[in-house]
């Protein structure tokens, strides 16, 4: 895929000479009388569009489809040519929309049939087109700046679509020669300029249009290379709907589009509200949405569409959703989608098209089924809108290479059952992302990248985050929770400080009342010295502020003293007997940690105050207490 | 293809080769099971010998098998084992390559493969032998035809089992080494294997031809609801399997219980050590969220829980296309920041709203009521709308003028001034057809509108300005108290 291919820049050059004011000689009935009301009244005479009107509305349709499918990076420059060239817009992204072009075209107005034809020529427009192709687009500029010394990799190619009424084949040659000559000259100019780029390749598409019923004076000619820089093709097309059809085919060729017809769309009839009929809607999109069909050869071509004999469309069937499910495919389902491509309806204002698009724009998605020769049904695509844009999603319908993978519960950490799933869920919700569209600056004035801020926050929020319930006491204590949520904040408000104090006083109060610590019954195995240290230090931070707990009778000495000594003097903790004091919990953990470092003598393991009891088997079996050595199985 | 009946399946065609085209089966290399649908050892022993080498048919067979089985999007490694002899006459590789330029769509040469691929050619011959003929050139041509995707392996030294094994060892090292990475969420980390190996990706062959490779540090940057990420398009999907590493960084086990007893104990221990992947997977599943993960500079992906069945589920990672804005509805990835930086929670206090999807600046044609008159029916519908509203004046005054102005704007842009005149005539006729019971305002508005359209249809004066709208005539029929001037 190349960003800067020929389709990055398209220049429309539309003839505005007096001849273009001629009628296309294709009548449009606009006065459709309602039968019962207007008896005896003769409808107004049909009107017909001028060659100009046909050219403009066909090129606008080309742009409409292009902007729908490629709202960015595919640019159009519109030029109107009569006694001079009128450039209606620029390559700037903000000029790239239909409203701008329509307003500019209205300002130009239709050609003046009374103007002097001698003064007018399409050549002015073609020269301006070459000139404008040399102008750098913001995307080219950005890419060149980014690539620095590799700036020459940024290509400058483009396409000129010229709609005119030529006099003869030799007239067409003359136009081609002129473009060729102009490119040569402008490339010389561009070579010496910083803000111009030499044209590497230019595709000239000359469309000769003439009134229906007349003979064409110009013959069709397929694409031909005139020079290494310029290729040219000639299309001789009758005006009216023929011209529109031609441009519709061209936009598909130029932008690698393909057509999909959605069939069996159920729609309520306007007149008979309780009956519904099935409709078809044809959509255009990038051809990659059909990649699986093209490669597998299992295409179900819906035949040529009604529009023209050139175009093929692939038929996909609307999947009527299960009843009672208003939102068609459940939104919170994550489909395996290999591509999503913007669409444009071929017949944007027809009732079936607008029904379908409005249905999707209201936030609903619909699955599409691919009819296969074998008769089997496969869901291959999904239509869905995201923020007012409709996308055709390609769903993977071939076999998955990840069939029957091992479940996560069979892998590392899969046997652990007390993960803090809910707490981590809360953590994830607090660390959700949101767009920051306006630039923000750091204190030092440099640009702040929101995504980096998000990473910083994750770093801060995970400095202490035990993964399992039995690894943590403070996160299991309702009384400490306010501290845990405050500790990750960047700055504390007055209220936060008060809240902290309140929590701490509350803890002190609990300590005084000898309230039990909430110990998980799942098991109190420590998970190694590192994490234990985390707990100790966190505990220290929280407790140090008041220093009251330290002085109370049951509280331990600060951990920087030798904890081992103290442990020696404490009796082994009885496990699984519910409430224990902070000290016994602590020493138990340290014990566990130490026991992992070396194989403890069996005697000492069961000793009281380092004194091993001899002949202990004489006692009752159940009267004994074994200290957990970390290998004991969990309940 | 001479010597073979047409009714044989593609697989049989592959069987019928001196140069055996083979897929690795899962006994040969660990974790290649998905890539090896074809051969089992029994099948190999059942194969007959044939007397003609026909590489092209083999490759055509590979094409069709892979596409039928896996479609066109899944990367596949094709391993071609050959003695370096390319066959003779029709069907030989030389003949295939010589006629390469004369192919039609129906007998297209199978290379490049119509799926992402690597073609590895294992030559049961050493370099000198191959260079004595043009074999090597022809085989190199095959790799070129596969867009350079692939490699040729030859035997170092004489042809013997040991040297053949060492050649295949090289292939395994190149193509089948597992991808190990560290999954990080701030300080929470886990060693993981990403399977299958993520492929390098070229964003734009012209301006950025260097393939991008994903980092071995997979850094979570934040979380998004599944409804907001909304089935995004992805390049590929991968299982993220937590692994236990020893101090040297060698893989000890995946925690998956195996029949092997030695592994068993190591795996059981690994199973009991809390792992961040399991925690993350559990919470993603419960909350219906995905984690956005940074894979490299301007390259992101997502982690989510994928359920295989009701019981089995797994942590999966999908890769987005590299670039600053892989999903238009999320906007630029670099502009996503933590909700705590926002003035108020964009998800609402009750978690009832969302900052996504982002709305594009310009609406698409189907969302903005554009005017298209290419088909007569388009024009007729628009005229009918005006007429319908004209008959319901003055109640429908606003809609009448809205539709009228829409038509006027389009007619001016398309230079279709005759239409303005025509519609003006039509409105004047409607005026004459008004029933006696009609509100007097209707006649005033119709006459006014027709007059304005006629003025616009001259295309000259200020009346044809695009931005200007026809506004309703100010009349006062509302009350008897105010006298009309």
């Amino acid at each position: 895929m190349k960003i800067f291919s020929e389709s990055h820049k398209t220049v429309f050059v539309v003839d505005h000479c007096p001849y273009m004011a001629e009628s296309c000689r294709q009548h449009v009935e606009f006065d459709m009388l309602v039968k019962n009301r207007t008896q005896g009244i003769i409808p107004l005479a049909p009107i017909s569009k001028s060659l100009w009107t046909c050219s403009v509305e066909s090129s606008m349709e080309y742009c409409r489809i292009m902007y729908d499918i490629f709202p960015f990076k595919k640019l159009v420059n519109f030029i109107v040519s009569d006694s001079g060239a009128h450039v209606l817009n620029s390559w700037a992204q903000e000029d790239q929309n239909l409203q701008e072009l329509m307003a500019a075209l209205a300002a130009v107005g239709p050609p003046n049939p009374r103007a002097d034809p001698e003064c007018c020529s399409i050549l002015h427009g073609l020269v301006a087109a070459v000139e404008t192709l040399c102008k750098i687009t913001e995307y080219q500029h950005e890419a060149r700046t980014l690539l620095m010394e590799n700036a020459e990799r940024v290509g400058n190619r483009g396409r000129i679509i010229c709609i005119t009424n030529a006099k003869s084949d030799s007239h067409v040659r003359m136009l081609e020669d002129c473009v060729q000559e102009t490119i040569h000259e402008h490339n010389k100019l561009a070579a010496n300029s910083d803000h111009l780029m030499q044209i590497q390749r230019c595709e000239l598409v000359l469309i000769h249009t003439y009134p229906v019923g007349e003979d064409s004076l110009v013959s069709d000619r397929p694409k031909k290379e005139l020079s290494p820089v310029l290729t040219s093709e000639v299309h001789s097309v009758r005006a009216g709907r023929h011209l529109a059809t031609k441009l519709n085919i061209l936009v598909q060729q130029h932008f690698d589009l393909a057509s999909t017809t959605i069939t069996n769309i159920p729609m309520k009839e306007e007149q008979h509200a309780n009956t519904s009929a099935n409709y078809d809607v044809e959509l255009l999109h990038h051809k990659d949405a059909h990649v699986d069909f093209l490669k597998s050869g299992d295409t179900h071509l819906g035949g040529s569409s009604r529009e023209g004999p050139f175009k093929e469309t692939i038929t996909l069937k609307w999947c009527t959703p299960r009843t009672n499910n208003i939102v068609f495919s459940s939104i919170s389902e994550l489909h395996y989608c290999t591509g999503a491509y913007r669409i444009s309806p071929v017949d944007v204002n027809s009732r079936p098209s607008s029904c379908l698009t409005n249905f999707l724009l209201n936030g609903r998605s619909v699955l599409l089924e691919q009819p296969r020769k074998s008769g089997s049904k496969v869901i291959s695509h999904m239509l869905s809108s995201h923020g007012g844009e409709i996308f055709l999603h390609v769903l993977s319908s071939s076999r998955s290479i990840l069939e029957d993978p091992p479940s996560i519960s069979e892998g590392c950490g899969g046997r652990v059952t007390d993960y803090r799933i809910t707490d981590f869920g809360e953590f994830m919700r607090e660390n959700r992302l949101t767009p920051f569209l306006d630039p923000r600056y750091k204190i030092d004035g440099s640009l702040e990248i929101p995504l980096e801020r998000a990473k910083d926050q994750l770093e801060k929020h995970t400095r202490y985050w035990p993964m399992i319930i039995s690894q943590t006491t403070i996160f299991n204590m309702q009384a400490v929770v306010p501290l845990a949520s405050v500790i990750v904040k960047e700055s504390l408000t007055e209220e936060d400080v008060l809240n902290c104090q309140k929590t701490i006083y509350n803890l002190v109060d609990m300590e005084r009342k000898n309230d039990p610590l909430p110990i998980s019954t799942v098991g109190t195995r420590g998970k190694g010295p590192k994490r234990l240290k985390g707990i100790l230090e966190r505990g220290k931070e929280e407790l140090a502020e008041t220093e009251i707990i330290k002085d109370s009778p049951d509280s331990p000495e600060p951990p920087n003293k030798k904890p081992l000594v103290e442990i020696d003097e404490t009796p082994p903790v009885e496990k699984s007997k519910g409430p224990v004091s902070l000290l016994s919990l602590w020493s138990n953990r340290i014990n566990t940690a130490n026991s992992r470092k070396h194989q403890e003598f069996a005697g000492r393991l069961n000793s009281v105050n380092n004194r091993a009891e001899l002949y202990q088997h004489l006692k009752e079996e159940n009267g004994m207490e074994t200290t957990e050595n970390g290998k004991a199985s969990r309940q | 293809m001479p010597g073979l009946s047409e009714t044989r399946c593609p697989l049989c065609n592959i069987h019928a080769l001196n140069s055996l085209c083979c897929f690795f089966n899962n006994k040969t290399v660990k974790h290649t099971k998905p890539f090896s649908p074809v051969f089992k050892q029994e099948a190999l022993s059942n194969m007959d010998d044939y007397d003609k080498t026909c590489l092209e048919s083999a490759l055509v067979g590979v094409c069709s098998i892979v596409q039928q089985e896996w479609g066109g999007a899944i990367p596949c490694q094709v391993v071609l084992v050959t003695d370096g002899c390319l066959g003779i006459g029709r069907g030989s590789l030389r003949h295939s390559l010589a006629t390469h330029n004369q192919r039609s769509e129906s007998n297209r040469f199978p290379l490049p493969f119509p799926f992402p691929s690597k073609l590895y050619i294992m030559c049961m011959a050493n370099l000198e032998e191959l260079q004595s003929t043009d074999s090597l050139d022809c085989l190199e041509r095959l790799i070129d035809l596969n867009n350079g995707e692939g490699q040729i392996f030859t035997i170092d030294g004489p042809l013997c089992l040991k040297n053949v094994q060492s050649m295949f060892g090289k292939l395994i090292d190149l193509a089948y080494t597992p991808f190990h990475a560290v999954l990080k969420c701030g300080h929470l980390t886990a060693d993981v294997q990403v399977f299958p190996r993520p492929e390098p990706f070229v964003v734009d062959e012209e301006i950025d031809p260097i393939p991008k490779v994903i980092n071995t540090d997979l850094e979570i940057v934040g979380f998004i609801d599944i409804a907001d990420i909304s089935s995004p398009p992805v390049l590929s999907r991968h299982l993220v399997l937590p692994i236990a590493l020893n101090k040297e960084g060698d893989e000890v086990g995946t925690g998956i219980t195996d029949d092997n007893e030695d592994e068993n104990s190591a795996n059981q221990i690994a199973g009991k050590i809390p792992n961040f992947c399991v925690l993350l997977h559990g919470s993603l599943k419960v909350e219906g969220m995905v984690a956005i993960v940074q894979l490299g500079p301007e390259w992101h992906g997502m982690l989510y829980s994928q359920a295989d069945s009701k019981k089995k589920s797994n942590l999966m990672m999908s890769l987005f296309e590299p670039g600053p804005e892989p999903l238009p509805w999320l906007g630029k990835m670099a502009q996503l920041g933590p909700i705590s930086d926002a003035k108020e929670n964009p998800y609402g206090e009750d978690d009832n709203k969302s900052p996504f999807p982002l709305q594009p600046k310009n609406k698409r044609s189907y969302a903005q009521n554009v005017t298209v008159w290419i088909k007569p029916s388009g024009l007729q519908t628009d005229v009918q709308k005006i007429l319908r509203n004209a008959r319901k004046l003055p109640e429908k005054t606003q809609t009448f003028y809205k539709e009228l102005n829409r038509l006027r704007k389009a007619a001016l842009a398309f230079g279709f001034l005759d239409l303005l005149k025509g519609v003006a005539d039509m409105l004047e006729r409607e005026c004459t057809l008004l029933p006696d019971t009609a509100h007097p305002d209707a006649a005033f508005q119709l006459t006014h509108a027709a007059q304005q359209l006629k003025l616009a249809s001259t295309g000259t004066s200020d009346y044809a300005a695009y931005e200007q709208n026809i506004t309703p005539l100010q009349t006062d029929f509302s009350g008897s108290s105010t006298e009309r001037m």
Side-chain angles (χ1 to χ4, degrees):
Chain A
M1 196 182 78
K2 287 181 193 162
I3 294 172
F4 301 117
S5 66
E6 279 82 350
S7 44
H8 178 57
K9 290 169 155 180
T10 303
V11 190
F12 265 99
V13 183
V14 181
D15 200 338
H16 195 248
C17 297
Y19 182 79
M20 295 297 280
E22 285 275 311
S23 157
C24 75
R25 297 199 208 134
Q26 213 175 41
H27 295 303
V28 192
E29 294 282 356
F30 73 101
D31 189 18
M32 310 292 283
L33 295 170
V34 180
K35 280 168 211 156
N36 55 7
R37 191 175 166 272
T38 43
Q39 278 164 346
I41 292 163
I42 305 154
L44 295 167
I47 49 177
S48 72
K49 298 169 183 171
S50 63
L51 294 180
W52 165 258
T53 299
C54 295
S55 309
V56 166
E57 70 176 2
S58 306
S59 31
M60 280 301 106
E61 181 69 359
Y62 181 106
C63 296
R64 177 187 73 79
I65 292 168
M66 191 201 82
Y67 286 142
D68 272 356
I69 298 174
F70 299 105
F72 309 102
K73 296 179 185 171
K74 308 282 182 209
L75 310 170
V76 162
N77 197 287
F78 214 96
I79 296 172
V80 169
S81 183
D82 43 35
S83 58
H86 309 274
V87 183
L88 303 190
N89 67 337
S90 77
W91 294 126
Q93 186 64 59
E94 65 261 26
D95 278 6
Q96 300 296 319
N97 60 70
L98 286 181
Q99 291 85 343
E100 290 284 328
L101 290 176
M102 296 277 270
L105 281 167
V108 170
N112 178 3
R114 285 171 300 280
D116 180 6
E118 294 305 310
C119 303
C120 297
S121 166
I122 191 71
L123 283 173
H124 301 297
L126 287 172
V127 170
V130 171
E131 210 170 305
T132 202
L133 279 181
C134 289
K135 285 183 187 154
I136 192 164
T137 68
E138 54 199 83
Y139 295 105
Q140 288 175 317
H141 178 71
E142 206 176 295
R144 289 215 309 187
T145 320
L146 207 71
L147 285 171
M148 313 270 277
E149 68 271 25
N150 290 322
E152 79 285 350
R153 285 190 197 152
V154 178
N156 188 37
R157 308 182 184 89
R159 186 177 285 126
I160 301 174
I161 301 176
C162 172
I163 307 178
T164 182
N165 181 275
K167 291 179 185 70
S168 62
D169 283 344
S170 57
H171 185 207
V172 168
R173 293 303 151 272
M174 189 271 284
L175 298 179
E176 288 173 338
D177 290 345
C178 164
V179 172
Q180 167 89 15
E181 186 64 23
T182 317
I183 290 177
H184 185 70
E185 279 169 27
H186 277 84
N187 273 356
K188 272 194 238 165
L189 281 176
N192 301 317
S193 161
D194 280 343
H195 54 275
L196 295 178
M197 285 178 84
Q198 289 190 310
I199 299 169
Q200 292 165 337
R201 280 195 78 74
C202 174
E203 262 182 30
L204 177 62
V205 182
L206 277 167
I207 301 170
H208 163 71
T209 188
Y210 55 97
V212 175
E214 274 187 20
D215 291 330
S216 173
L217 303 169
V218 174
S219 38
D220 268 3
R221 207 197 56 214
K223 195 188 279 188
K224 182 175 119 186
E225 193 159 289
L226 300 181
S227 80
V229 181
L230 182 67
T231 59
S232 164
E233 60 192 273
V234 183
H235 303 271
S236 183
V237 196
R238 284 173 292 167
R241 60 186 158 86
H242 306 284
L243 183 59
T245 306
K246 173 56 83 179
L247 277 156
N248 187 289
I249 293 166
L250 287 175
V251 73
Q252 294 189 52
Q253 284 173 3
H254 293 165
F255 295 95
D256 293 326
L257 305 185
S259 153
T260 295
T261 301
I262 318 294
T263 63
N264 274 24
I265 306 174
M267 254 172 62
K268 288 259 187 310
E269 294 283 350
E270 216 161 8
Q271 268 83 26
H272 323 278
N274 44 3
T275 60
S276 95
N278 288 340
Y279 287 88
D280 293 0
V281 172
E282 188 185 350
L283 306 174
L284 294 176
H285 48 80
H286 193 270
K287 69 175 179 201
D288 279 356
H290 285 167
V291 75
D292 280 345
F293 301 104
L294 302 175
K295 282 179 176 169
S296 68
D298 189 14
T299 31
H300 185 93
L301 293 175
S304 53
S305 81
R306 280 156 289 162
E307 244 69 8
F310 310 99
K311 203 166 59 177
E312 282 180 328
T313 183
I314 280 177
T315 306
L316 293 174
K317 206 170 138 236
W318 167 282
C319 278
T320 309
R322 281 175 224 109
T323 49
N324 80 3
N325 192 1
I326 308 159
V327 177
F328 271 15
S329 83
S330 156
I331 290 179
S332 50
E333 202 179 332
L334 204 55
H335 294 276
Y336 176 28
C337 159
T338 53
Y341 305 92
R342 289 184 175 89
I343 60 102
S344 185
V346 171
D347 200 356
V348 65
N349 282 341
S350 76
R351 217 174 79 80
S353 285
S354 56
C355 267
L356 175 66
T357 52
N358 286 333
F359 176 85
L360 295 165
L361 290 172
N362 284 333
R364 292 184 275 192
S365 324
V366 63
L367 294 170
L368 303 172
E369 181 186 299
Q370 175 198 352
R372 287 206 169 158
K373 281 176 202 155
S374 56
S376 61
K377 290 174 178 177
V378 175
I379 302 288
S380 61
H381 291 77
M382 177 177 79
L383 276 171
S384 186
S385 83
H386 309 284
E389 287 188 288
I390 299 173
F391 291 79
L392 181 61
H393 290 247
V394 183
L395 305 181
S396 174
S397 51
S398 53
R399 195 178 145 195
S400 164
I401 57 164
L402 300 174
E403 272 172 12
D404 200 23
S407 173
I408 191 138
S409 59
E410 296 164 37
C412 289
R415 304 289 178 81
V416 181
T417 52
D418 64 335
Y419 286 107
R420 294 172 58 208
I421 301 284
T422 316
D423 290 347
F424 198 71
E426 182 61 31
F427 169 90
M428 293 193 316
R429 264 183 279 134
E430 279 163 12
N431 284 284
R432 269 186 293 190
L433 299 169
T434 188
F436 291 90
L437 302 179
D438 300 321
R440 295 156 77 103
Y441 298 93
K442 294 184 202 159
I443 302 162
D444 64 1
S446 62
L447 193 69
E448 183 176 87
I449 297 162
L451 201 65
E452 294 302 323
R453 285 272 313 130
K455 285 189 215 168
D456 292 347
Q457 181 171 308
L458 285 175
E459 188 277 326
K460 202 176 165 74
H461 284 203
T462 55
R463 282 187 201 164
Y464 179 67
W465 216 97
M467 290 198 281
I468 55 175
I469 295 166
S470 52
Q471 221 172 45
T472 176
T473 304
I474 58 165
F475 286 106
N476 294 333
M477 285 177 72
Q478 278 307 311
V480 191
V481 167
L483 280 183
S485 60
V486 158
I487 207 161
V488 294
K489 286 196 176 179
E490 301 226 325
S491 55
L492 297 185
T493 61
E494 205 67 28
E495 200 184 340
D496 289 332
V497 175
L498 279 174
N499 207 355
C500 286
Q501 284 171 351
K502 219 171 90 188
T503 312
I504 289 160
Y505 288 136
N506 186 23
L507 283 175
V508 171
D509 198 39
M510 284 172 72
E511 180 78 22
R512 199 176 54 236
K513 283 193 283 183
N514 250 336
D515 277 356
L517 285 170
I519 304 301
S520 160
T521 51
V522 185
T524 51
R525 295 179 306 133
K527 272 295 160 266
K530 220 183 207 170
R531 293 213 171 85
L532 185 68
K533 201 172 146 220
I535 285 201
L536 290 178
E537 266 160 22
R538 186 60 52 125
K540 191 172 74 176
E541 274 170 37
E542 278 154 11
L543 303 181
E545 206 170 318
T546 55
E547 299 234 316
I548 298 172
I549 295 182
K550 188 182 150 193
D551 297 333
S552 64
D554 283 347
S555 65
E557 289 295 307
N560 49 3
K561 291 194 179 174
K562 299 172 223 157
L564 267 179
V565 179
E566 291 156 13
I567 286 160
D568 287 344
E569 290 161 8
T570 51
V573 178
E574 289 188 12
K575 197 191 146 212
S576 305
K577 287 209 173 168
V580 276
S581 75
L582 182 61
L583 172 65
S584 54
L585 171 77
W586 187 349
S587 41
N588 192 22
R589 276 172 189 271
I590 294 226
N591 233 351
T592 315
N594 287 335
S595 71
R596 297 166 142 262
K597 286 179 188 157
H598 63 91
Q599 191 76 44
E600 189 59 282
F601 298 117
R604 190 182 296 161
L605 265 180
N606 301 330
S607 68
V608 178
N609 292 338
N610 262 349
R611 249 169 277 150
E613 194 176 344
L614 299 175
Y615 305 113
Q616 45 185 297
H617 292 291
L618 293 172
K619 289 189 173 180
E620 291 274 321
E621 285 285 323
N622 54 3
M624 284 176 35
E625 200 62 53
T626 47
T627 307
E628 203 184 6
N629 63 2
K631 279 190 177 177
S633 60
R634 293 191 303 103
Q635 284 99 337
Chain B
M1 180 174 167
L4 278 173
S5 80
E6 289 292 310
T7 50
R8 278 173 184 267
C9 72
L11 240 178
C12 302
N13 279 345
I14 301 174
H15 284 201
L17 293 167
N18 288 342
S19 307
L20 174 66
C21 168
C22 101
F23 291 78
F24 268 31
N25 70 26
N26 46 359
K27 294 207 170 154
T28 321
V29 185
K30 213 178 171 184
H31 289 314
T32 56
K33 185 175 143 205
F35 293 100
S36 55
V38 182
F39 282 112
K40 293 273 174 262
Q41 277 183 340
E42 318 86 75
L44 278 175
S45 57
N46 288 340
M47 257 186 340
D48 298 329
D49 291 334
Y50 285 83
D51 56 359
K52 187 141 168 51
T53 297
C54 209
L55 277 181
E56 184 175 342
S57 312
L59 296 174
V60 169
V62 168
C63 267
S64 79
I65 290 172
V66 172
Q67 285 191 62
Q68 277 171 21
E69 197 72 26
W70 307 109
I74 289 173
C76 197
Q77 324 219 33
V78 180
V79 182
L80 171 69
V81 184
T82 171
D83 58 358
C85 298
L86 309 175
I88 42 165
R90 274 194 67 193
S92 71
L93 185 59
R94 274 182 208 92
H95 181 258
S96 294
L97 291 174
T99 57
H100 180 259
N101 290 331
Q102 304 149 25
R103 302 304 179 102
S104 67
E105 204 41 49
S106 58
N107 68 338
R108 175 187 171 270
F109 192 69
L111 293 180
F113 285 122
F115 44 85
S117 67
K118 290 269 196 305
L119 175 62
Y120 295 113
I121 303 178
M122 313 303 290
C123 293
M124 296 292 161
N126 62 41
L127 203 57
E128 293 71 44
E129 286 174 88
L130 291 168
Q131 276 168 337
S132 61
T133 63
D134 65 342
S135 294
L136 196 63
D137 294 338
C138 289
L139 294 174
E140 273 170 357
R141 196 61 212 293
L142 281 183
I143 306 281
D144 289 345
L145 285 173
N146 200 34
N147 299 325
E149 295 292 345
Q151 198 172 322
I152 299 172
F153 291 83
T154 56
I155 285 177
D156 287 332
L159 186 60
C160 64
L161 185 62
K162 189 171 153 260
N163 288 341
V164 172
Q165 279 175 341
S166 109
M167 174 174 75
F168 276 94
K170 282 184 206 156
L171 171 69
I172 290 166
D173 288 345
L174 180 82
Y176 297 96
T177 38
F179 185 87
H180 286 178
V182 182
L183 180 63
K184 289 186 178 169
C185 176
H187 294 276
L188 297 168
T189 64
D191 292 309
V192 295
Q193 184 191 343
V194 178
F195 179 83
R197 232 187 132 75
E199 294 289 320
F201 186 81
V202 177
V203 181
D204 183 308
E205 74 237 17
E206 190 171 83
I207 60 170
D208 195 4
I210 302 156
K212 284 184 189 289
V213 185
I214 78 165
N215 288 346
T216 49
D217 269 0
L218 306 173
E219 200 177 356
I220 291 176
V221 295
F223 302 86
I224 288 181
D225 291 308
I226 284 184
D228 287 336
I229 201 102
S230 165
S231 298
V234 300
L235 294 175
S236 56
R237 298 193 295 178
H238 308 265
L239 277 173
V240 178
L241 303 164
I243 48 171
L245 296 177
N246 62 20
K247 276 173 196 154
E248 287 74 45
D250 297 328
E251 193 178 332
V252 173
T254 53
I256 296 156
T257 334
D258 235 315
D259 295 337
N260 190 315
E261 259 186 46
D262 284 344
E263 276 180 42
N264 209 2
S265 55
N267 284 338
Q268 280 194 348
I269 292 169
K272 285 175 191 163
I273 300 171
N275 191 296
F276 172 58
C277 288
V278 186
L279 172 68
L280 176 68
H281 169 267
S283 300
L284 289 175
K285 189 174 182 172
V286 170
E287 299 288 334
M289 292 174 96
V290 303
I292 301 296
V293 59
Q294 179 142 16
L295 308 168
E298 295 204 327
W299 198 3
H300 296 88
M302 61 173 178
L303 290 160
Y304 52 96
S305 158
Q306 169 83 18
D308 190 48
S309 61
K310 271 182 187 160
K311 279 186 179 168
K312 283 188 168 185
S313 73
N314 245 299
L315 187 63
M316 292 273 265
M317 178 167 76
S318 288
L319 314 189
F320 302 143
E321 201 165 296
E325 199 182 334
L327 307 174
W329 50 95
L330 296 192
K332 288 201 169 63
M333 295 306 276
Q335 287 180 346
L336 297 179
I339 49 172
S340 55
D341 279 6
K343 282 193 193 79
E344 53 187 77
N345 188 349
Y347 290 91
E349 290 311 317
D350 307 324
D351 215 21
N352 54 359
K353 51 182 186 174
S354 165
F356 303 109
L358 241 55
Q359 299 288 330
K361 253 190 210 156
N362 292 314
K363 283 185 176 176
R364 304 292 154 250
S365 71
Y366 46 80
Q368 59 173 341
N369 201 8
V370 290
T371 316
V372 179
W373 291 334
I374 286 169
K375 282 186 178 175
S377 60
L379 178 61
Q380 286 154 3
T381 314
D382 285 347
V383 174
Q384 286 295 316
K385 268 189 219 159
I386 294 174
L387 215 50
R388 255 203 320 272
N389 287 301
R391 287 168 190 160
K392 289 176 190 159
L393 287 172
E395 290 81 29
K396 293 282 183 181
T397 305
Q398 290 310 319
T399 343
F400 171 73
Y401 279 100
K402 197 183 128 215
E403 291 298 333
L404 193 72
N405 281 313
R406 193 166 84 89
L407 175 121
R408 175 184 173 277
K409 272 199 159 69
L412 288 174
F414 296 150
F416 198 5
L417 303 184
D418 284 353
L419 177 68
L420 296 177
K421 228 177 297 160
V423 174
D425 290 344
M426 205 170 67
L427 294 180
E428 279 175 351
R429 184 192 64 201
E430 280 305 309
C431 199
T432 63
L433 293 174
L434 284 173
D436 300 338
T437 52
H439 193 284
D441 197 21
F444 278 102
Q445 297 298 350
L446 285 175
T447 317
H448 168 70
Q451 206 174 19
Q452 292 294 312
L453 284 184
K454 283 222 165 110
L455 285 168
S457 76
T458 58
T460 44
S461 61
D462 296 341
Y463 298 104
Y466 183 76
E467 293 306 337
Q468 200 186 312
N469 279 324
I470 302 176
T471 49
L473 187 70
Q474 290 304 310
T475 53
D476 188 5
F477 294 100
S478 54
S480 50
S481 57
T482 46
E483 288 287 309
R484 283 194 73 219
M485 299 298 283

